[in-house]
Amino acid sequence: MTEPAQSPDAATEAFLAHRNLLFTVAYEMLGSAADAEDVLQETWLRWASVDLAEVEHQRAYLVRITTRQALGRLRTLGRRKESYVGPWLPEPLLTTADVAEDVELADSVSMAMLLVLETLTPTERAVFVLREVFDLGYEEIADAVGKNPAAVRQIAHRARSHVAARRPRGPVSRDETRDALTAFQRAVETGDLQGLLDILAPDVVLLGDGGGIVQAVLKPLVGADRVARVLTRVQSEASLELAQVNGHPALVLRRGGELDTVLAARIDDGLITGLYAVRNPEKLSRMAQETALRR
């Protein structure tokens, strides 16, 4: 009878030790918690068949498997998004308090940043995430994405330039975000049109994701006046509360006690420049419990 390559418990222990990290890698590449969980299942199946005695660095090996699986799924997601009804927004996560404490991690998983990452090619996104967020070496990244280190350096440079041109203009403190959202919440709850206009940037953009399942704006809504007038009509029989979403303060809207919308914001120079309203019920399941993210 042939002995197994290693104890199943040893493989399980190693996988669980890095699970939150692997989920974070997959989520940052995909913007979808459901797809990230599927990637982790695929990673586990491949990891369970590996001879651990031949693995020098378990973390790097697991990240490589996860990255390769996420890259394949990212290309599938791209085709799925082409037929998506209305704007596609990342799946929001109710995150643990320590995520906000890691400023770089919180910035990398913010709704605004995940939307910027959507504009990269799959390989650019993988290289950017592994290099800029997880600080992996070029040789490790090369193994994960199937390129040579010199090519990875070029891809990383191109991705950094692309992201720098599109990311929020500067770091925004949690207090600044919370203050802006509190003023926004007060204005919405009281139907204060002028109060909304005071906190919204003139060129603010509202994106809504209903996924064709529930009603949402089907095209980006641009301009403070247009956005404010829509928002003053949403408060009927609804309640707004602050929550920690993707490492940043955000608003959760409930109707009849049931979760209806997660509303995240992009803040630039103290004003709200982007509003991201996720209403697709298939994307709201991770708001029922906190998700731990790790670098």
Side-chain angles (χ1 to χ4, degrees), residues 188-268:
V188 171
E189 288 176 338
T190 59
D192 180 3
L193 181 59
Q194 186 57 51
L196 274 174
L197 292 173
D198 289 342
I199 196 61
L200 297 176
D203 57 351
V204 63
V205 178
L206 169 64
L207 299 177
D209 181 342
I213 300 172
V214 297
Q215 185 177 6
V217 290
L218 294 178
K219 295 181 179 180
L221 198 62
V222 182
D225 188 66
R226 295 179 68 196
V227 171
R229 291 185 187 282
V230 167
L231 291 171
T232 54
R233 298 197 296 266
V234 306
Q235 178 53 24
S236 177
E237 300 178 5
S239 64
L240 283 170
E241 59 190 50
L242 280 169
Q244 196 75 9
V245 177
N246 289 54
H248 295 270
L251 289 169
V252 172
L253 186 148
R254 299 184 188 275
R255 294 187 188 277
E258 297 295 323
L259 178 61
D260 178 275
T261 306
V262 172
L263 192 64
R266 169 173 169 165
I267 313 293
D268 289 290

Side-chain angles (χ1 to χ4, degrees), residues 132-154:
E132 300 301 315
V133 182
F134 297 96
D135 199 29
L136 265 64
Y138 290 112
E139 291 190 1
E140 286 183 276
I141 299 172
D143 286 340
V145 301
K147 303 283 186 181
N148 63 58
V152 167
R153 285 180 181 274
Q154 291 181 334

Side-chain angles (χ1 to χ4, degrees), residues 45-193:
L45 290 174
R46 282 157 179 78
W47 174 249
S49 65
V50 170
D51 184 352
L52 296 190
E54 298 182 359
V55 177
E56 185 174 357
H57 300 293
Q58 293 182 350
R59 178 182 183 271
Y61 197 100
L62 281 163
V63 168
R64 185 171 70 211
I65 299 175
T66 300
T67 300
R68 289 177 176 175
Q69 296 305 312
L71 270 173
R73 188 163 290 258
L74 187 56
R75 296 183 175 103
T76 301
L77 270 179
R79 293 190 292 271
R80 194 190 308 170
K81 290 171 189 173
E82 290 175 1
S83 59
Y84 198 79
V85 178
W88 183 95
L89 290 175
E91 187 175 347
L93 305 177
L94 184 67
T95 45
T96 53
D98 59 335
V99 176
E101 298 296 333
D102 186 337
V103 176
E104 290 185 1
L105 176 60
D107 176 64
S108 71
V109 297
S110 70
M111 296 290 269
M113 177 56 78
L114 289 175
L115 283 173
V116 171
L117 295 182
E118 283 292 312
T119 64
L120 298 173
T121 67
T123 302
E124 286 174 343
R125 184 166 184 168
V127 169
F128 181 86
V129 167
L130 295 178
R131 180 63 182 170
E132 300 301 315
V133 182
F134 297 96
D135 199 29
L136 265 64
Y138 290 112
E139 291 190 1
E140 286 183 276
I141 299 172
D143 286 340
V145 301
K147 303 283 186 181
N148 63 58
V152 167
R153 285 180 181 274
Q154 291 181 334
I155 294 169
H157 176 74
R158 186 166 65 243
R160 275 195 300 270
S161 298
H162 184 96
V163 170
R166 291 163 177 79
R167 72 190 308 163
R169 287 189 282 272
V172 180
S173 69
R174 281 177 290 165
D175 289 343
E176 187 177 358
T177 301
R178 190 178 296 106
D179 289 346
L181 285 176
T182 299
F184 173 89
Q185 177 183 0
R186 184 167 53 248
V188 171
E189 288 176 338
T190 59
D192 180 3
L193 181 59

